[in-house]
Amino acid sequence: MDWLFLDAAFTGGSRDECSAKAGGACWAVIGERLNLFTYGFYPVAERWRVNLSLVLLIFTLFPILFEKAPYRKYALHIAVAFPFVTAWLLVGGLGLTPVETDQFGGFMLTLVIGITGIGFSLPIGILLALGRQSKLPAIQIFSIGFIEFIRGVPLITLLFVASTMLNYFLPPGVTFDLLLRVLIMVTLFASAYMAEVIRGGLQAIPKGQFEAADSMGLRYWSAMRLIVLPQAMKISIPGIVNTFIGLYKDTTLVIIIGLLDPLGIGRASLADTRWTGLSTEVYLFVAIFFFISCFGMARYSQHLENKLETDHKR
Amino acid sequence: MTQKPESANEKTKSDAGNYAVTMRDVHKWYGKFHVLKNINLNVEVGEKIVICGPSGSGKSTLIRCINRLEEHQQGEITVEGIELSHDIKNIEIIRREVGMVFQHFNLFPHLTVLENCTLAPIWVRKMPLAEANAIAMQYLERVKIPEQADKYPGQLSGGQQQRVAIARSLCMKPRILLFDEPTSALDPEMIKEVLDVMIQLASEGITMICVTHEMGFARTVGDRVIFMDNGEIIEENNPDDFFLNPQHERTKLFLSQILNH
């Protein structure tokens, strides 16, 4: 505690200035590098676009996560536009100055990869889980093949494939944004895990539920959407959130292929001669950021489980 | 094979549409196991049929073939004049007209009682919410649990759950109701409340096919009792003759087992 706060120096221009002031932690490095940690190398003049995206994110998540949010019905419809609007804001074009994705970095990069992965892996995972149980052999074989292949390969391998090997497969001259490739790989990777988590939930649904739905004349998709999936998803919440958290933390692996996530920024900061040796402070800071996000997700999943509890076990 | 074809069955009707259900030479196998052997059965519109027999005799499978929860491999089944085949459209039409009540209720635990009742009318019959709610309340009233409408199935007793399941089937206004051992999973004191609802329903002209061992119910409302064993219809008769004067040895044995315990 003393080291963290009481004996810590919060200002200063280098490590030596810090230690001259106090014997504890030197948080000045974080202060000076905060913008870098947040935005990466996103152009300073355009950072309002990142901030605006974050505000939009909060306004989009709120009605999705909380049933009691005002005007929820309309907000959910508008939420569909969120990925497109944000992508436009961050990447630019159509009237905004284009920003190359290799300038993305820091927490912003983590959020972009994490939220894209989370947002897309859930629906893809659901489709794969249903596909795996499909009666149509083509769909079933595709789903099983996809899931087992992705699960059998480490994420890092997939990221390397994304960063280097894809170029060999694509026709010459076709370039394909590195961040986009990473997003696709991370999403597919998480989808495979998601599919298996949801399959566990699907298998826990008693056969009678399917029969009741069939006997009413509900079609396959209606039965799945109205009866089977709501129950299966509820059972799967802990596993789903587990996968989310795993994916969110795995975003740090992109450092390996040269994208500067918070860890990458941290390493770059430590390479600065003025701040060498402050790895504890830097990595602690990054750890706290991840802990807050992941703990938030875990708490929300608890809240959701309690809310959806309708069994009233006697 | 049938011992004593009843008058209703003997009349030759050229138009299959006069029957709610007709089954002709129906066979079904589970792998090598021959579950249904040469089933012939005609059910008239408005008729109450009770099917009984030892467990494993194929009675549940028989009624589950009527709404295609099980597929028959040979023979012909028509329901409300429509032949059951692989045609998914026909199956959907038939399922809309055929309600089913299960042994284990199969209510949807994540939906309230009212939502359980309105789900199919809204999504299958495309009924507006207000109308579906009104109809659901009307049937919940009929099964005497309107006050439970906003509870979840898990909060109700078995008997109440089964009555909700009956109300849920009725909300689709089916022409035929199938009951698959509706009281077998209930505590004895709850059986009566469910049977009362079924007896009341029987007086309203809907076609009912019930797999049940409730012999009192069979006598009160059954027009015909069918006894099955080993996948065959062994005997069919009106309830009085069936119970007082069974023709077949296996029927006698079965009746002695369930009546004298």
Side-chain angles (χ1 to χ4, degrees):
Chain A
M1 271 298 143
D2 284 356
W3 181 86
L4 273 180
F5 301 112
L6 299 180
D7 290 339
F10 293 92
T11 53
S14 70
R15 190 185 182 195
D16 297 337
E17 283 181 41
C18 271
S19 40
K21 276 193 215 160
C26 179
W27 294 116
V29 59
I30 307 296
E32 193 196 79
R33 299 277 174 154
L34 191 58
N35 277 335
L36 207 54
F37 269 117
T38 313
Y39 303 102
F41 295 99
Y42 209 84
V44 179
E46 307 292 338
R47 282 183 184 167
W48 62 272
R49 279 152 55 176
V50 179
N51 295 338
L52 182 59
S53 302
L54 185 66
V55 173
L56 284 179
L57 171 71
I58 293 167
F59 273 95
T60 312
L61 278 186
F62 194 69
I64 292 176
L65 297 182
F66 299 101
E67 209 173 351
K68 290 193 180 111
Y71 306 109
R72 184 166 191 255
K73 224 172 158 182
Y74 308 102
L76 288 182
H77 285 107
I78 299 170
V80 178
F82 173 77
F84 304 103
V85 174
T86 317
W88 170 62
L89 270 176
L90 293 179
V91 180
L94 299 172
L96 289 173
T97 324
V99 176
E100 291 298 323
T101 53
D102 55 11
Q103 291 174 304
F104 286 28
F107 297 135
M108 169 215 165
L109 183 66
T110 301
L111 285 174
V112 167
I113 301 174
I115 287 169
T116 311
I118 288 172
F120 286 96
S121 65
L122 188 59
I124 297 175
I126 291 173
L127 291 179
L128 284 172
L130 292 176
R132 190 165 183 158
Q133 303 199 317
S134 171
K135 290 194 186 102
L136 305 170
I139 294 178
Q140 196 188 20
I141 289 168
F142 171 79
S143 304
I144 293 178
F146 181 89
I147 293 170
E148 296 304 340
F149 171 72
I150 299 272
R151 280 203 308 174
V153 177
L155 179 57
I156 298 200
T157 315
L158 289 176
L159 290 176
F160 273 128
V161 169
S163 73
T164 57
M165 296 209 4
L166 270 185
N167 285 340
Y168 299 122
F169 296 122
L170 292 171
V174 176
T175 52
F176 199 39
D177 189 83
L178 177 62
L179 179 62
L180 185 60
R181 283 183 262 164
V182 167
L183 286 178
I184 292 173
M185 283 304 182
V186 168
T187 304
L188 295 183
F189 188 76
S191 304
Y193 281 86
M194 196 62 73
E196 287 300 280
V197 168
I198 292 168
R199 185 166 71 96
L202 287 175
Q203 284 177 341
I205 307 297
K207 202 162 157 258
Q209 295 287 311
F210 293 86
E211 290 179 350
D214 281 348
S215 74
M216 291 177 160
L218 282 174
R219 298 194 177 156
Y220 176 80
W221 287 109
S222 305
M224 288 300 143
R225 187 165 62 86
L226 298 167
I227 291 161
V228 177
L229 282 175
Q231 297 181 59
M233 300 288 281
K234 191 189 114 186
I235 299 169
S236 317
I237 287 172
I240 291 173
V241 174
N242 202 21
T243 310
F244 280 168
I245 290 176
L247 167 130
Y248 191 74
K249 291 192 296 186
D250 279 352
T251 58
T252 52
L253 290 175
V254 298
I255 190 177
I256 306 240
I257 55 165
L259 294 179
L260 287 176
D261 80 312
L263 279 183
I265 301 277
R267 211 159 66 161
S269 304
L270 293 173
D272 186 332
T273 45
R274 289 180 300 140
W275 302 112
T276 45
L278 293 175
S279 46
T280 317
E281 284 86 342
V282 167
Y283 289 128
L284 197 61
F285 174 66
V286 175
I288 288 169
F289 165 75
F290 276 100
F291 179 77
I292 291 173
S293 322
C294 296
F295 189 66
M297 284 193 254
R299 293 305 304 172
Y300 178 73
S301 101
Q302 279 278 293
H303 159 80
L304 205 58
E305 279 176 58
N306 292 338
K307 195 185 79 180
L308 296 177
E309 179 58 56
T310 58
D311 279 354
H312 306 280
K313 295 189 181 76
R314 276 168 291 167
Chain B
M1 177 163 297
T2 51
Q3 292 285 320
K4 200 173 163 189
E6 268 308 292
S7 54
N9 244 18
E10 213 153 345
K11 282 183 231 156
T12 42
K13 295 191 181 176
S14 54
D15 182 11
N18 288 333
Y19 289 117
V21 179
T22 64
M23 300 179 113
R24 237 172 262 320
D25 309 326
V26 172
H27 290 264
K28 175 171 177 59
W29 290 263
Y30 284 128
K32 283 200 173 144
F33 180 55
H34 204 166
V35 223
L36 294 180
K37 297 171 189 162
N38 197 33
I39 302 289
N40 282 285
L41 177 68
N42 291 332
V43 181
E44 281 193 73
V45 173
E47 210 179 355
K48 325 290 174 224
I49 305 274
V50 172
I51 304 176
C52 61
S55 65
S57 58
K59 48 199 195 311
S60 286
T61 309
L62 175 75
I63 68 164
R64 288 157 61 89
C65 281
I66 295 174
N67 65 352
R68 197 69 168 193
L69 287 184
E70 304 284 353
E71 206 174 301
H72 59 284
Q73 278 110 17
Q74 204 180 308
E76 185 186 300
I77 302 178
T78 57
V79 181
E80 294 288 330
I82 302 168
E83 192 186 341
L84 268 172
S85 61
H86 288 285
D87 185 349
I88 190 84
K89 274 267 171 331
N90 279 353
I91 296 173
E92 278 171 11
I93 294 171
I94 287 170
R95 282 176 175 169
R96 257 178 260 165
E97 305 303 332
V98 180
M100 186 162 205
V101 175
F102 299 87
Q103 180 177 2
H104 296 288
F105 331 135
N106 295 354
L107 294 175
F108 307 129
H110 62 300
L111 300 175
T112 64
V113 165
L114 187 65
E115 288 166 339
N116 263 281
C117 293
T118 56
L119 187 127
I122 290 173
W123 293 97
V124 179
R125 293 235 192 261
K126 312 289 177 207
M127 195 183 279
L129 178 67
E131 190 186 342
N133 279 339
I135 290 174
M137 284 314 293
Q138 181 193 326
Y139 283 114
L140 286 174
E141 205 99 35
R142 181 96 69 88
V143 299
K144 302 185 187 70
I145 34 174
E147 72 283 357
Q148 314 283 4
D150 294 322
K151 288 196 183 166
Y152 286 95
Q155 292 167 287
L156 306 183
S157 72
Q160 288 172 323
Q161 290 194 44
Q162 194 58 296
R163 285 186 281 152
V164 171
I166 294 174
R168 178 174 74 174
S169 304
L170 290 174
C171 283
M172 283 293 279
K173 308 218 162 163
R175 300 205 220 169
I176 303 170
L177 257 185
L178 308 174
F179 290 86
D180 190 0
E181 306 205 28
T183 55
S184 304
L186 295 176
D187 293 337
E189 71 269 26
M190 293 169 183
I191 290 177
K192 185 174 179 297
E193 64 187 54
V194 171
L195 287 181
D196 285 346
V197 167
M198 290 169 64
I199 290 169
Q200 191 203 341
L201 268 180
S203 65
E204 290 168 24
I206 191 168
T207 310
M208 286 167 73
I209 305 175
C210 313
V211 172
T212 182
H213 291 152
E214 294 299 328
M215 292 304 140
F217 172 79
R219 278 183 173 163
T220 322
V221 305
D223 294 320
R224 246 193 306 163
V225 178
I226 288 170
F227 174 70
M228 285 183 75
D229 193 14
N230 277 329
E232 293 173 287
I233 295 181
I234 304 291
E235 182 163 350
E236 56 175 293
N237 214 331
N238 64 62
D240 288 338
D241 289 342
F242 180 84
F243 288 111
L244 299 175
N245 189 19
Q247 302 292 311
H248 202 286
E249 280 309 314
R250 276 192 271 184
T251 318
K252 287 176 190 163
L253 180 67
F254 175 74
L255 286 176
S256 71
Q257 278 166 344
I258 62 163
L259 294 177
N260 308 323
H261 54 223

